[in-house]
Amino acid sequence: MDFSLSDKEQKLWERAKAFTLEHITPRAHELEKRDEFPKDVVQKAFETGLMNLHIPTEAGGPGLTLLDETFVSEATGYGCAGMATSIMCNNLAFAPLVIGATIEQLKTYVEPLVTGKEAKFGAFCLTERKAGSDAGAVATRAIRDGDEYVITGTKCFITNAPQASLYTVFASTQPELKTKGLSVFMVPKSKAVKIGLIEKKLGQKNSVQSEVTFEDARVPKDCLVGKEGDGFKIAMKTLDKTRAGIAAIATGLAQRCVDEAARFANIRHQFGKPVGQFQGISFMLADMGARTAAARQMTRYAAWMADRDMPNSKDSAFAKFFAADAAMQNALDCVQIMGGYGYINEYPAEKLMRDAKLLQIYEGTNQIQRLVSGNIILRESANIDTGFHVKYDGKDSPMF
Ligand code: CAA
């Protein structure tokens, strides 16, 4: 096995880290007080070539891998998870199109958004007030009318919705078929697309989530991605990929907690020596570092599998919940190690803690990730021979 990065990967990783140190970390605290979209930072990320990485070259993108995306997500997540979410959200918005659309559709609808001088945005519109974890319960309707579809419904918690020029909308074409009646459409911004409530959040204030309502939004029939009824499977395949991206942001945040806490533990003296020299602190740092290292490997493995078209639902769910839990625990520990300084908002730790919480919630809660991976483990067990042949359901079993 070779864990080293290729020259190209190393260069991307270094570029994303340098960008973070120059443009993200120094401004993250100041900008989050404004509680708005960090437009100029995202524009710089676009100009630096850190956005839209997975768009194929035929449609104007750099055609990079999911593994490449994890380098950028980890590096930017180290600086600010909110800004990383703003920068990387196009990956989520356009992934269903890369999975299900034709090259002609990508050239018509996506290429104009990823080329040119200004950053443009897409928004992934799946979640609704009554369809969160139960993604198949979408109530938004798409009704065919001649050569058009008419889309009606309201989505919520949609990242980058106010900034978006193109909405990737999951809508039901046949509600009676439930998940099999869901379809996915590209909906360009128009007067029929109305931005609603912009949410005020605990953390990740450098990313924007809002309601978006489609009021009889008419789109040509070529805005349907794949076939009618393909929507749910495209959504699931998308999330199998993008959950590795969230795991990478989480890994970045987890690493930042290690670095901030260790730096503090070396500088802060109590009882005549640096607090890091007390085992109570150094053991915490060791656990934080180990969690981060494990999260990084799980994340890269899940992405590596996706890049080879290997089924990765279990591994991307593992990576997402493990890395998000690692980020949350590391942020709590970072606050604890920094004591009073950890709780005061001019120091880094309390923002890390607020930002980490969302990683356990968005792109499928960590409970959903456990449900997905637990179910796969149960299914896989049907083909596993442990070598211990005993009946668990009969009188001859020694266990009953
Ligand atoms: N790939 C391909 N097909 C899949 C699949 C996958 N990973 N997972 C399921 N399917 C297929 C199943 O095989 C099944 O097909 P058949 O009927 O042909 O057998 C069909 O899809 C239905 O599957 P399930 O019965 O498992 O579906 P379910 O209704 O029980 O729900 C779920 C499954 C995993 C809980 C799903 O609803 C889910 O992932 N929920 C979480 C939603 C989510 O992550 N939302 C996040 C929104 S995005 C966001 O937060 C981002 C942001 O703004 C930053």
Side-chain angles (χ1 to χ4, degrees):
M1 295 178 81
D2 183 359
F3 289 97
S4 59
L5 308 190
S6 68
D7 281 355
K8 214 172 129 212
E9 289 166 342
Q10 188 66 32
K11 278 192 185 131
L12 181 64
W13 176 227
E14 296 298 336
R15 180 149 47 101
K17 284 202 295 189
F19 178 85
T20 298
L21 287 185
E22 187 179 350
H23 297 290
I24 296 186
T25 317
R27 300 196 55 208
H29 271 71
E30 165 223 328
L31 287 181
E32 81 148 0
K33 293 199 182 97
R34 295 193 207 157
D35 211 349
E36 62 187 31
F37 186 69
K39 194 170 172 211
D40 58 323
V41 178
V42 178
Q43 174 63 28
K44 284 202 178 80
F46 175 72
E47 288 163 11
T48 312
L50 299 178
M51 280 176 64
N52 305 316
L53 303 178
H54 65 320
I55 304 298
T57 48
E58 300 94 305
L64 297 186
T65 63
L66 186 57
L67 185 62
D68 290 326
E69 277 182 28
T70 67
F71 302 137
V72 177
S73 294
E74 183 182 334
T76 52
Y78 183 93
C80 173
M83 286 195 197
T85 298
S86 293
I87 292 168
M88 301 309 282
C89 194
N90 274 7
N91 295 346
L92 173 65
F94 298 146
L97 316 183
V98 173
I99 290 169
T102 61
I103 284 293
E104 288 68 36
Q105 284 176 310
L106 289 177
K107 281 172 92 62
T108 308
Y109 291 95
V110 178
E111 185 163 1
L113 305 185
V114 301
T115 49
K117 288 204 162 53
E118 259 193 44
K120 301 250 170 47
F121 302 94
F124 178 85
C125 303
L126 175 65
T127 304
E128 299 179 0
R129 293 275 168 210
K130 293 186 180 167
S133 291
D134 186 3
V138 159
T140 296
R141 286 296 315 269
I143 296 171
R144 180 81 182 256
D145 182 19
D147 282 345
E148 294 180 323
Y149 282 95
V150 184
I151 297 175
T152 313
T154 298
K155 302 286 179 177
C156 67
F157 308 149
I158 303 305
T159 302
N160 287 358
Q163 287 71 38
S165 310
L166 186 71
Y167 299 83
T168 301
V169 182
F170 293 84
S172 191
T173 34
Q174 273 187 284
E176 66 285 5
L177 296 184
K178 306 219 167 7
T179 55
K180 286 188 169 45
L182 269 192
S183 305
V184 56
F185 297 89
M186 298 175 286
V187 181
K189 194 181 186 77
S190 74
K191 282 191 182 144
V193 180
K194 302 261 163 57
I195 301 302
L197 178 74
I198 296 182
E199 307 290 351
K200 297 278 178 209
K201 311 190 298 296
L202 172 72
Q204 296 213 16
K205 291 168 184 280
N206 284 319
S207 74
V208 169
Q209 285 75 22
S210 79
E211 274 184 342
V212 52
T213 296
F214 301 92
E215 283 183 359
D216 294 340
R218 285 184 172 269
V219 292
K221 67 177 190 313
D222 82 330
C223 284
L224 171 69
V225 177
K227 298 191 300 302
E228 280 192 19
D230 285 351
F232 192 76
K233 287 192 181 172
I234 291 177
M236 294 300 112
K237 285 182 187 164
T238 297
L239 294 167
D240 282 346
K241 286 181 185 288
T242 56
R243 283 169 182 162
I246 299 300
I249 296 177
T251 303
L253 192 151
Q255 184 65 56
R256 176 79 181 281
C257 294
V258 177
D259 296 349
E260 294 291 357
R263 199 163 65 124
F264 182 88
N266 270 324
I267 295 168
R268 171 77 168 161
H269 281 67
Q270 290 290 275
F271 306 102
K273 56 183 178 180
V275 295
Q277 288 184 19
F278 292 99
Q279 284 188 341
I281 303 293
S282 68
F283 284 9
M284 282 171 85
L285 288 169
D287 286 339
M288 291 164 74
R291 263 180 229 124
T292 309
R296 180 174 298 116
Q297 296 309 334
M298 291 169 80
T299 299
R300 292 182 178 180
Y301 182 57
W304 179 90
M305 291 177 89
D307 288 335
R308 279 153 190 76
D309 284 330
M310 293 161 73
N312 78 336
S313 307
K314 182 179 72 178
D315 290 273
S316 64
F318 281 168
K320 198 277 183 182
F321 81 70
F322 187 89
D325 286 349
M328 191 69 237
Q329 189 57 52
N330 280 12
L332 289 168
D333 290 350
C334 184
V335 169
Q336 191 65 24
I337 289 171
M338 293 177 75
Y341 296 98
Y343 206 66
I344 291 171
N345 64 16
E346 65 191 275
Y347 299 99
E350 65 86 36
K351 175 176 179 299
L352 291 167
M353 192 174 98
R354 287 185 287 104
D355 286 356
K357 189 63 212 165
L358 187 53
L359 297 163
Q360 295 178 306
I361 297 170
Y362 67 5
E363 282 204 41
T365 63
N366 279 10
Q367 286 69 30
I368 286 293
Q369 310 308 323
R370 287 176 166 91
L371 186 100
V372 168
S373 47
N375 285 343
I376 296 174
I377 289 171
L378 286 169
R379 276 205 304 278
E380 287 173 346
S381 74
N383 301 319
I384 290 171
D385 182 0
T386 64
F388 189 81
H389 297 140
V390 66
K391 288 183 187 161
Y392 286 111
D393 57 353
K395 286 204 180 90
D396 54 342
S397 165
M399 290 183 72
F400 295 96

